[in-house]
Each structure stands twice: as C-alpha cells, then as structure tokens.
Amino acid sequence: MTWLDAVVVSRTPATPNIAVFDLAPADGSTGFPAHTAGAHIDVLLDQQGLVRQYSLCGPPGSGHYQLAVLNDPNSRGGSRAMHTLEAGDRLRISAPRNRFPLAAARRHLLFAGGIGITPLLAMARTLDAEGGDYALRYCARSRADAAFASELAENPRATLHFDDGDSAQLLDVESALGAPEPHAAVYVCGPGGFMDHVLARAEAIGWPPAALHTERFTASTPDPGSTESGSFTVRLASTGVEYHVPEDRSALDVLLENGVDAPSSCQQGICGECVVRVLAGEPDHRDDVLTSDEQAEGLFAPCTSRARSQVLELDM
Ligand code: FES
C-alpha cells in the first residue's frame, strides 16, 4: 500500500467522546486525492502496523480530509490511538477507497446510528451540493452524544432521534421508509444492532436487497450454523501453487505467510481491500463488504471467507 503523509490541521470536539480531525498533506501541497461521498481511508496508527479505517465526512473536492472518531471504550486500540492526536501531529494515511458510494437513484434514504453518521453526512453534504433528493434519519443516545447536531438541526431534510427522548420522537423505521420505491436507495451505517434492525424492517416491508446499501465498522458475527468451517486449499491461477488453509487460519493469513503479495487492510471483511475473484470452487462468504451480486459474480474476501469446496482457485 502507498501511504500519504498527513498532518492534523485541527482537532475539534464534536461530543464529549467524538473528535473531528481535519487532515491536510504534510508537504503543504494543494490537496489529497479526490474522494466521493461514502469513501474511507486507512490510517496507520503505530509503528507496529495498527491500521484502522475511517469514513471521510467532509465534502468531496476540498482537498482536505475530515474524520470523526469515537473514543470507544471497547476499542481494539484504534480509536484510543486516534484520540491521542492533536493539531500539528503527523500520521500516514491511504488514498480513499469507496465501498459505500451513492447509488444512481432518484431518492436517497439515509439511516445513521451513532458514529455511523460519518459517511452519511458526506452523502448529505454531497446531495445538498448537487440538489439531490434525500432524507436523513440520525439516531443517537442523547443530544449530547450526537455529532454535528447543530449542523443537522438546521437541515430540513434531517431528523434526529434520541434514545433518551420521549417515545414519539424515536425512529419508526417503517414509516421513515414507507413502501418500496422503484428508484430509491436506502443507506444504513451504525452499530451492528441498529443496522440489523433497520435492514430487517426494510426487508419486512418489501424493500429489495438491491436497494439496501450498508457499511459496517465492525464485522458481524457469523451464524455458526450457516457455514462450513473446515480446512481447504487455495490455488493461485498465476502460478498454480496450492496452499493449505487450516481450520484456524484465514486464506489471507496463509497467503501472506507464504510471501504472496496479497493486498489487505482491515482483516475483518469490512474494507474490501483484499477482494479477489474466484475462478473455480465454491466460496463460503463471511464478509460484510461484498453485495450479494458481487458474491454471485465470483468476488471473494480471503481475510474472512472460506470454502465449501476442497479447492478454491483465485485470480491472483
Ligand atoms: S482485508 Fe478488509 S475485507 Fe479483507
């Protein structure tokens, strides 16, 4: 991966637990590579190679990147490390990637839970700039926990819902969605339970899976009864070399251990960096990044997914 050197231009508290970081190129050049709404970057957080993904919430085209990071007590180190950064500190970041882009739809229905507001705020800002038709629902534990609350309170297309508020203002997913519309797209980002709830209600009232777009910050827990879990073999189409993947290792781990130049980042099936095409064999998909159409087309995330066949041939 090619890293970009960045400097923290400003750090602003958005809530007691969420800080907003504005990043600029450390060499003073005019700007970072352009990004689109829904994109994220990797941030290299220490010399040991701790890498985390953060959505960009600033408007595309500014040349700077804006991140909002929750200081999560359950963090595996990433958010704690981010929250040590102050203005003037330097860090290394990747170019943006977008696994959660705005769809070609006439109407966009955005559902954010907690820190899941970050990519959806970028979408709302983009749609505002383009005159797009959208509605944003943002759920937070309380007004004090809602990042960007004052900006969103002035946005007539945004509705805020607080867990500690009266029951009349809580999110009613069915009425917020309404009946499925043929040219509408639904976007959901937030904690797993929030996402599962919105998606289940959407599907229950007939929204087709193709209209539902998601981004997860943490991997969902696979249903242990739904997939095979044994060892398998991956074969690289370019060399014909086969690698045994034991039950307790991922295909990506095995490839990297054997010196294969395989791209990777999150290792949780949520960023899409490792995705490769399967040329033969039957995958057992366990990622949270590929759509069902992409899986059906043969794409495969070797960091989390496994195989139902004995051998998977990968296009690498
Ligand atoms: S490394 Fe992120 S999806 Fe595989």
Side-chain angles (χ1 to χ4, degrees):
M1 176 173 312
T2 305
W3 294 103
L4 309 172
D5 291 311
V7 62
V8 179
V9 176
S10 66
R11 172 192 169 146
T12 316
T15 74
N17 292 318
I18 297 174
V20 176
F21 298 90
D22 281 294
L23 309 180
D27 64 3
S29 60
T30 48
F32 287 128
H35 70 282
T36 50
H40 70 268
I41 57 170
D42 291 347
V43 179
L44 181 62
L45 287 163
D46 64 15
Q47 301 305 320
Q48 284 69 50
L50 178 67
V51 175
R52 291 291 180 268
Q53 292 73 40
Y54 295 103
S55 295
L56 298 175
C57 50
S62 65
H64 287 202
Y65 293 158
Q66 186 181 76
L67 318 174
V69 180
L70 171 70
N71 195 359
D72 181 353
N74 299 316
S75 156
R76 294 174 302 130
S79 69
R80 270 199 305 281
M82 279 298 293
H83 273 254
T84 65
L85 294 173
E86 297 292 346
D89 286 343
R90 294 186 172 223
L91 67 164
R92 309 198 89 189
I93 63 175
S94 73
R97 291 191 300 274
N98 200 342
R99 298 290 312 173
F100 191 43
L102 282 166
R106 288 193 204 140
R107 183 165 152 73
H108 306 268
L109 302 170
L110 316 177
F111 290 83
I115 195 63
I117 186 64
T118 51
L120 300 184
L121 182 64
M123 291 180 178
R125 287 168 164 175
T126 297
L127 291 165
D128 278 331
E130 295 176 350
D133 182 8
Y134 77 94
L136 168 64
R137 302 292 187 140
Y138 177 24
C139 298
R141 278 198 300 232
S142 68
R143 183 171 291 279
D145 290 307
F148 309 104
S150 28
E151 173 181 337
L152 293 171
E154 298 194 350
N155 181 339
R157 297 174 186 274
T159 308
L160 282 70
H161 305 271
F162 303 117
D163 294 350
D164 66 351
D166 63 66
S167 57
Q169 56 83 57
L170 294 175
L171 174 64
D172 177 344
V173 177
E174 282 91 336
S175 62
L177 280 170
E181 300 172 38
H183 300 294
V186 177
Y187 308 81
V188 190
C189 187
F194 169 83
M195 294 185 64
D196 293 343
H197 172 68
V198 174
L199 294 170
R201 300 320 307 153
E203 286 178 18
I205 59 175
W207 281 83
L212 307 178
H213 305 267
T214 61
E215 182 163 75
R216 291 184 187 268
F217 291 139
T218 53
S220 58
T221 306
D223 173 359
S226 68
T227 53
E228 303 296 324
S229 62
S231 61
F232 59 101
T233 295
V234 288
R235 180 167 60 229
L236 304 192
S238 60
T239 60
V241 177
E242 296 188 343
Y243 302 94
H244 176 71
V245 181
E247 195 169 329
D248 60 347
R249 307 289 292 150
S250 73
L252 179 66
D253 285 341
V254 169
L255 294 176
L256 294 174
E257 283 163 12
N258 284 280
V260 176
D261 185 18
S264 69
S265 180
C266 71
Q267 311 226 354
Q268 296 181 80
I270 56 177
C271 78
E273 181 68 8
C274 68
V275 168
V276 63
R277 186 170 294 280
V278 171
L279 300 177
E282 187 185 354
D284 171 8
H285 295 289
R286 300 181 178 201
D287 66 273
D288 287 307
V289 65
L290 295 171
T291 64
S292 48
D293 282 352
E294 289 171 327
Q295 292 176 348
E297 281 168 22
L299 297 183
F300 175 76
C303 64
T304 51
S305 294
R306 303 192 68 79
R308 292 184 190 280
S309 54
Q310 288 196 325
V311 179
L312 280 186
E313 184 172 283
L314 304 181
D315 186 14
M316 60 189 303

